Amino acid sequence: MSGNPHVRFSQDTLANGLRVIIAPDRVAPVVAINLWYDVGSKHEQPGKTGFAHLFEHFMFQGSRHVAKAEHLSIVQGVGGVLNATTYFDRTNYFETLPSHQVELGLWLEADRMATLLDAMSQSNLDNQRDVVKNEKRQSYDNRPYGSFYEKLMAAVFPQGHPYHHTPIGSMEDLDAASLEDVEAFFRTYYVPNNAVLTVAGDLDEAPVIEAVERYFGPIEPNDELPAFRRPHDDPAPAHREVVPDDVPLERVHVGYRCPAFGTREFDALEVATQILAGGRGSRLHKRLVREEQAAQDVAFFALPLVAGSSIAAGWVTARPESDADTVEALLDEELLRMAREPVTDDELARAHALIESAELSALSHMDEVADRLSMYSTYFDRPELVNEQLGRYLEVDAQAVRDVCAAVFETDQRTTLTYVPRSEEEAAA
């Protein structure tokens, strides 16, 4: 084992509340700018879902000094790349640029934080609402097994829980959203005291800090930023559902409530998922795909969520000559074996090696370093976890794996979705 990484960084907070992290690294002549807003789908109110994801689209539709779609063309025009993502717990915006263009990237992010609403209009709202609807049709509604994500979250986290709905949101809610609704959402959450800005790469700290202060310092904070109220984590009842769909093969999806990301228990669960489903040498692949030859494919993972609890989930697709009942029974056997028998030293070493390889590979890229620093600061106010997390994974032992698997898998509070091909009558209907 090569040991923990060491990312050197400094951190500060501007007078308006913006947390700033600077991480110099001269390995390549690029700079990664990463801005995390502490707003995701969990912050949305009933009847007003999908707003955080909608703003992922709005943020590229112009601001006071940048025309519609110009943010993209400016960054690409100087040889940079950019993107954004929306999640349950946050939204992030990021660009990687040649290092001499760092001020350009900072100015672009500051301009849309400060003046995005100057470019907001009813036609813009209508247009982006249609874009999101089309995205939902492509990714959820018209894709085989595509509805599992929404169904699984809705069952594992009951009505009223902030994880009950996915970031794509409700199309009915988006249809009902007024311009005033979305503007109020932006004014509430897209403010400096609700954000973390990380700049990592080939840079000199002093001029970057001065540029951050110059561009972001004048932006007013929201002194009435609402505090997120963590939900009561009452157990979800068991849920079983058969879903007739336009699918080629029967597939079983399962979901369990599990410890939150950031806990030692979640670390152990991530090691467990590597033993269960980390490649062709994993337990589930060996048993269900290679030995029993009952499954076409199998997956299992822990989704990192921070508001009280998270979700462990997976699926197994039956081969044409097999069926959903067979593969579900085999999946259950392997999950319960994890809870009742210690994993072997070889399995634990393999899982540690897979995780270490993935972590070290990720941290060799400036954009990932910047993203991790923003993440650990946003979630836990501890950016130093970027240097500690790998060590935490490597400390997980066989007993910790068994304990968390027993707590998660030895329960009847599981959601099970069984996808089956539609009958000819259902397809015709």
Side-chain angles (χ1 to χ4, degrees):
M1 298 291 180
S2 62
N4 288 348
H6 182 71
V7 176
R8 184 172 67 89
F9 66 91
S10 62
Q11 56 181 319
D12 198 4
T13 302
L14 303 190
N16 60 11
L18 178 69
R19 288 169 286 173
V20 181
I21 300 172
I22 308 294
D25 191 319
R26 302 291 189 180
V27 68
V30 297
V31 167
I33 297 171
N34 187 291
L35 188 62
W36 271 49
Y37 289 97
D38 191 4
V39 57
S41 58
K42 76 178 182 187
H43 297 88
E44 296 163 351
Q45 300 303 310
K48 295 182 179 180
T49 64
F51 282 25
H53 176 246
L54 187 64
F55 270 103
E56 181 191 324
H57 293 265
F58 278 146
M59 290 289 238
F60 296 97
Q61 297 304 302
S63 49
R64 181 179 300 168
H65 305 104
V66 179
K68 183 176 181 179
E70 193 178 14
H71 190 124
L72 179 65
S73 64
I74 289 173
V75 170
Q76 291 180 336
V78 299
V81 294
L82 77 167
N83 213 330
T85 66
T86 309
Y87 193 54
F88 296 91
D89 295 312
R90 54 84 185 140
T91 313
N92 64 348
Y93 300 87
F94 46 94
E95 41 274 298
T96 301
L97 299 154
S99 52
H100 66 282
Q101 298 288 356
V102 61
E103 282 209 29
L104 174 65
L106 293 172
W107 176 79
L108 286 167
E109 288 293 354
D111 195 63
R112 63 183 177 184
M113 178 190 285
T115 69
L116 181 94
L117 293 184
D118 287 15
M120 185 71 71
S121 65
Q122 187 64 49
S123 62
N124 228 352
L125 172 59
D126 294 340
N127 176 264
Q128 294 310 305
R129 191 158 36 197
D130 288 342
V131 170
V132 172
K133 287 181 181 179
N134 190 50
E135 182 180 337
K136 185 175 188 297
R137 284 190 287 267
Q138 290 182 340
S139 300
Y140 293 80
D141 302 339
N142 298 330
R143 175 176 292 184
Y145 316 105
S147 63
F148 91 88
Y149 191 26
E150 290 178 299
K151 287 180 176 291
L152 206 63
M153 297 304 294
V156 173
F157 298 98
Q159 187 75 38
H161 195 286
Y163 294 146
H164 179 72
H165 70 278
T166 60
I168 197 73
S170 158
M171 298 305 100
E172 291 77 17
D173 288 355
L174 288 180
D175 280 337
S178 67
L179 195 59
E180 292 75 19
D181 288 335
V182 295
E183 288 177 346
F185 190 81
F186 183 86
R187 288 194 182 97
T188 299
Y189 293 108
Y190 292 81
V191 290
N193 54 319
N194 197 45
V196 174
L197 172 68
T198 298
V199 188
D202 181 26
L203 57 86
D204 293 317
E205 292 186 59
V208 169
I209 291 170
E210 187 276 329
V212 169
E213 181 70 60
R214 179 163 21 102
Y215 294 130
F216 288 89
I219 303 174
E220 290 295 323
N222 177 10
D223 294 329
E224 298 180 353
L225 186 67
F228 176 75
R229 294 184 178 181
R230 283 181 54 165
H232 293 293
D233 265 330
D234 299 327
H239 177 83
R240 180 173 286 273
E241 182 179 350
V242 176
V243 186
D245 201 0
D246 295 322
V247 296
L249 297 168
E250 294 186 1
R251 177 188 280 183
V252 178
H253 286 264
V254 298
Y256 300 84
R257 194 85 65 88
C258 72
F261 178 51
T263 63
R264 295 286 182 171
E265 292 80 9
F266 189 89
D267 296 341
L269 189 60
E270 290 213 277
V271 174
T273 63
Q274 287 292 342
I275 294 169
L276 280 167
R280 293 179 178 273
S282 63
R283 284 191 179 191
L284 291 178
H285 191 273
K286 284 195 292 187
R287 175 82 190 281
L288 278 70
V289 178
R290 287 166 48 192
E291 294 173 5
E292 302 289 345
Q293 297 186 12
Q296 187 90 353
D297 58 59
V298 62
F300 206 88
F301 55 91
L303 196 68
L305 302 169
V306 296
S309 60
S310 189
I311 179 174
W315 68 77
V316 54
T317 309
R319 287 187 174 178
E321 62 272 19
S322 183
D323 57 44
D325 290 341
T326 299
V327 295
E328 183 182 348
L330 291 169
L331 176 65
D332 284 347
E333 284 183 26
E334 291 303 316
L335 294 181
L336 291 176
R337 190 157 73 91
M338 291 287 292
R340 296 169 183 173
E341 302 172 11
V343 299
T344 68
D345 291 344
D346 285 348
E347 286 178 316
L348 194 61
R350 178 180 177 276
H352 283 160
L354 287 170
I355 290 173
E356 182 176 32
S357 176
E359 289 287 299
L360 293 178
S361 175
L363 293 176
S364 69
H365 300 281
M366 277 301 99
D367 55 348
E368 188 66 28
V369 169
D371 195 62
R372 298 286 182 96
L373 287 165
S374 290
M375 174 181 71
Y376 291 129
S377 184
T378 301
Y379 286 167
F380 312 116
D381 202 22
R382 292 195 66 228
E384 60 269 24
L385 278 169
V386 74
N387 293 322
E388 299 172 9
Q389 186 60 52
L390 176 56
R392 289 173 48 142
Y393 287 134
L394 299 181
E395 289 169 3
V396 172
D397 59 19
Q399 188 60 50
V401 170
R402 185 177 178 182
D403 288 346
V404 75
C405 289
V408 173
F409 300 143
E410 287 199 314
T411 174
D412 60 357
Q413 294 164 351
R414 180 174 87 177
T415 291
T416 307
L417 306 173
T418 303
Y419 281 77
V420 297
R422 293 187 200 274
S423 66
E424 291 182 8
E425 293 80 8
E426 289 169 328

